[in-house]
């Protein structure tokens, strides 16, 4: 260490001291440990979230719902959070993948505040991690912090809906938000370009924070690739787990229309490859580190400014449905209490009346006794053998 | 739009309507982006509704309130004149809370009924009175690929009592052939399950020839619609 301190630049002796071997050691450690990645998909039902996840992982992680469950969900009016866990392994490196699905988002007539369960979930994960870090024993921390959130935009050809704007604003402030245009094969290329531009205009005008991958890199190839990726935001994707045959005889993953085949992995048809590269191949580490460093840190700072060390988070149940239920329960409770109080009061009245009556009886008896006593006295005082007094 | 439409009517009415021209009021309801405007332009074979202006990104977080835009098209084909009135409803279902949309639609339709009632109750009626009652409501279902959504169910349930509803799947080109069949059968199942009141084409049980035809039409409900504004040289156009 003294060599570096003295000159600022490490003076490597002929064989070196072995610092250059550190990356290999790190590689071994990380390969053994594996990593943990949480991805969240948010969007209206029917935008292709399930299909996209299954296409991305080339395996059916999430099964599509059947009719009965879907019908029950239709009238449920709540947004659920479903977590699917999978462990992927490729070339001896394992990743614990968590996919968070949000059925019910934006599906109802009244979609006010439907992004609140999503935002609450994200913040709860930060909270859990914060609490676990503050425990005396820190081994075995469960880390479910969301590293990336894909927001599926329905391609209506015009612009973003108010629901999309409000939800993306709320989500983008807390997590890495990646906007995605779902079912991109419903728009023609010109329409798609125009739609992308309109979406970006709205994102800029409404100051929605989306994930910006770092552009500059060590080699030109990566820089160019990063620039390509950034220019394609929002990513237009097609999802398909089926293989179809194209006109020129290739078997590809795609969707077969009467007029041709839309291929998933063809860059001219959609941006699936770019998005997959962003999520897994090239920028997964950056997604994880930005979540842990900036988003989580922001949360931690704001929380620690207002709370003492080790104190639990004050609960605020803003869910309208819960509030209504709470009100109903409270009303029932007060009514019951009132009923019981009335009953007790009546009982009390009865007891008082009973007591008074008994008191009166007692007094009567008392008076009678007194009378008799006075008679006895009179008799004993008089002492006369006259029977008249007895006959009273 | 040929004279076949008038076969079920007595000939004197047909004669009169041919002279004067029938009034036909259609209302188009559906969320933005499902192809209402393009449908109308394709139906009338000309640009009835112009393209909307580019939306303002500054106001994208606030939904436009629902409007009723009326367009009048005079059409003529093989001697039959129809004065078609189309009412478009931009803004339906686009906001965060859409419960007020149903009431607005209901009020509008009832207002037309009220007008006719007032006119009918007059002692001296106006000979040239234009009937603005909605004859048919074309409802555009979004191609989600699963089944009907709460918005669809509520709308058909509430307005089916007042007006004839024909459900249509907008942007049906986003489906492959199998997906379209699956979606259509899901929608039909949902309609039966929730007992939704859609227009029954088989209203005339006595005319067997028309009945067979109508039954065949009914099998296609909900109709899947692909429409386009522009003509392309090659095959690639939605």
């Amino acid at each position: 260490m003294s060599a570096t301190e003295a000159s600022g630049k490490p003076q490597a002796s002929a064989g070196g001291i072995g610092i250059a071997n550190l990356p290999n050691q790190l590689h071994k450690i990380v390969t053994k440990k594996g990593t943990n990645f949480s991805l969240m998909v948010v969007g209206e039902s029917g935008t292709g979230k399930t299909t996209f996840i299954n296409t991305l992982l080339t395996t059916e992680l999430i099964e599509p719902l059947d009719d009965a469950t879907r019908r029950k969900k239709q009238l449920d009016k709540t947004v659920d959070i479903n977590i699917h866990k999978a462990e992927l392994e490729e070339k001896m490196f394992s990743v614990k993948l968590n996919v968070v699905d949000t059925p019910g988002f934006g599906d109802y007539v009244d979609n006010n505040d439907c992004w609140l369960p999503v935002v609450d979930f994200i913040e709860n994960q930060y909270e859990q991690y914060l609490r676990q870090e503050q425990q005396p024993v820190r081994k075995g921390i469960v880390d479910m912090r969301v590293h990336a959130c894909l927001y599926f935009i329905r391609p209506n050809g015009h612009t973003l809906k108010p629901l999309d704007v409000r939800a993306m604003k709320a989500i983008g402030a807390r997590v890495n938000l990646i906007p995605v245009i779902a079912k991109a094969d419903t728009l023609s290329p010109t329409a798609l370009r125009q739609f992308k531009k309109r979406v970006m205009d709205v994102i800029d005008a409404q100051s929605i924070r989306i994930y910006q991958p770092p552009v500059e890199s060590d080699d030109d190839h990566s820089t160019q690739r990063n620039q390509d990726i950034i220019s394609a935001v929002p990513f237009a994707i097609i999802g398909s787990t089926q293989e179809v045959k194209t006109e020129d005889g290739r078997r590809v993953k795609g969707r077969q229309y009467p007029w041709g085949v839309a291929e998933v992995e063809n860059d001219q048809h959609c941006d699936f490859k770019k998005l997959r590269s962003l999520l897994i191949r090239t920028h997964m580490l950056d997604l994880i580190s930005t979540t842990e460093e900036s988003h989580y840190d922001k949360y931690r700072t704001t929380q620690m400014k207002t709370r003492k060390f080790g104190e639990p988070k004050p609960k605020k149940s803003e869910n309208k449905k819960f509030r209504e239920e709470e009100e109903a329960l409270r009303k029932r409770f007060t009514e019951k209490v009132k009923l019981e109080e009335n009953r007790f009061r009546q009982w009390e009245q009865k007891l008082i009346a009973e007591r008074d009556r008994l008191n009166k009886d007692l007094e009567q008896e008392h008076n009678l006794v007194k009378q008799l006593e006075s008679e006895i006295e009179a008799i004993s005082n008089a002492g006369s053998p006259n029977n008249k007094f007895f006959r009273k | 739009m040929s004279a076949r439409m008038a076969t079920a009517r007595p000939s004197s009415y047909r004669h009169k309507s041919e002279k004067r021209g029938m009034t036909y009021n259609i209302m188009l309801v559906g969320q933005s982006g499902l192809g209402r405007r393009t449908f109308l332009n394709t139906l009338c074979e000309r640009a009835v509704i112009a393209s909307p202006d580019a939306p303002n990104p500054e106001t994208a977080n606030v939904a436009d309130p629902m409007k009723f835009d009326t367009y009048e098209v005079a059409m003529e084909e093989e001697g039959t004149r129809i004065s078609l009135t189309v009412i478009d409803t931009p803004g339906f279902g686009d906001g965060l809370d859409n419960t007020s949309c149903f009431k607005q639609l209901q009020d509008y339709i009832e207002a037309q009924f009220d007008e006719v009632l007032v006119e009918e109750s007059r002692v001296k009626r106006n000979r040239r009175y234009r009937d603005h009652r909605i004859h048919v409501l074309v409802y555009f279902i979004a191609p989600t690929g699963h089944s009907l959504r709460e918005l669809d169910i509520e709308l058909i349930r509430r307005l089916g009592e007042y007006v004839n509803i024909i459900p249509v799947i907008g942007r049906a080109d986003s489906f492959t052939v199998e997906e379209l069949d699956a979606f259509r059968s899901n929608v039909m199942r949902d309609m039966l399950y929730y007992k939704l009141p859609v227009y029954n084409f088989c209203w005339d049980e006595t005319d067997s020839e028309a009945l067979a035809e109508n039954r065949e039409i009914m099998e296609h409900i909900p109709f899947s619609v692909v429409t386009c504004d522009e003509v392309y040289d090659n095959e690639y156009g939605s």
Side-chain angles (χ1 to χ4, degrees), chain A residues 2 112 138 140 151 167 195 212 244 250 267 274 301 340 358:
Chain A
S2 55
N112 260 322
R138 281 199 299 183
Y151 190 89
F195 186 58
Q212 305 279 0
V244 293
R250 293 174 291 142
D267 268 332
K274 295 203 182 106
T301 321
E340 291 294 309
L358 287 175

Side-chain angles (χ1 to χ4, degrees), chain B residues 12-13 27 36-37 42 65-66 81-82 95 102 107 117-118 145 163 199 206 209 225 227 232 235 237:
Chain B
S12 60
Y13 188 84
M27 185 180 238
R36 290 188 321 270
R37 185 181 53 84
T42 311
M66 197 166 107
R81 269 194 292 154
I82 298 185
F102 304 127
D107 287 344
L117 186 62
V118 162
V163 72
Y199 177 60
T206 55
E209 186 186 287
V225 162
T227 52
Y232 289 91
E235 286 276 282

Side-chain angles (χ1 to χ4, degrees), chain A residues 325-356:
Chain A
E325 275 182 24
E326 213 182 298
E327 282 303 313
L329 274 174
R330 196 174 291 148
K331 239 187 261 177
R332 272 214 334 259
F333 181 68
T334 40
E335 271 174 23
K336 271 220 180 95
V337 166
K338 248 191 250 169
L339 264 168
E340 291 294 309
E341 272 189 17
N342 275 343
R343 201 164 65 91
F344 277 127
R345 210 169 287 138
Q346 278 177 358
W347 198 10
E348 199 185 18
Q349 303 275 8
K350 257 200 284 195
L351 281 179
I352 289 178
E354 187 78 16
R355 188 189 63 183
D356 287 341

Side-chain angles (χ1 to χ4, degrees), chain B residues 178-192:
Chain B
E178 304 97 25
E179 285 173 353
L180 184 60
D181 285 334
F183 183 56
R184 215 195 244 138
S185 56
N186 281 346
V187 170
M188 277 318 290
R189 262 210 307 269
D190 270 354
M191 286 201 195
L192 288 172

Side-chain angles (χ1 to χ4, degrees), chain B residues 14-112:
Chain B
R14 197 205 309 186
H15 191 64
K16 232 194 267 177
S17 67
E18 271 180 13
K19 243 189 14 180
R20 198 193 318 146
M22 276 180 57
T23 56
Y24 196 41
N25 303 329
I26 303 180
M27 185 180 238
L28 302 175
V29 175
Q31 287 183 304
S32 83
L34 291 180
R36 290 188 321 270
R37 185 181 53 84
T38 323
F39 172 74
L40 179 63
N41 292 344
T42 311
L43 188 69
C44 303
E45 287 170 0
R46 60 174 209 253
V48 179
I49 313 181
S51 307
D53 305 322
N56 184 359
E58 305 280 325
T59 58
N61 60 335
V62 179
D64 294 328
M66 197 166 107
K67 290 187 298 197
F68 293 93
D69 291 336
T70 317
Y71 302 92
E72 303 211 2
V73 184
M75 300 181 57
E76 173 151 355
E77 197 174 315
E78 292 174 16
T80 321
R81 269 194 292 154
I82 298 185
S83 89
L84 182 69
T85 309
V86 179
I87 298 150
D88 189 19
T89 54
F92 172 83
D94 286 336
L96 279 169
D97 185 355
N98 298 311
T99 35
S100 57
C101 292
F102 304 127
K103 184 96 188 3
Q104 275 182 279
L105 278 169
Q106 210 168 303
D107 287 344
Y108 184 87
I109 296 175
E110 282 189 349
Q112 311 307 318

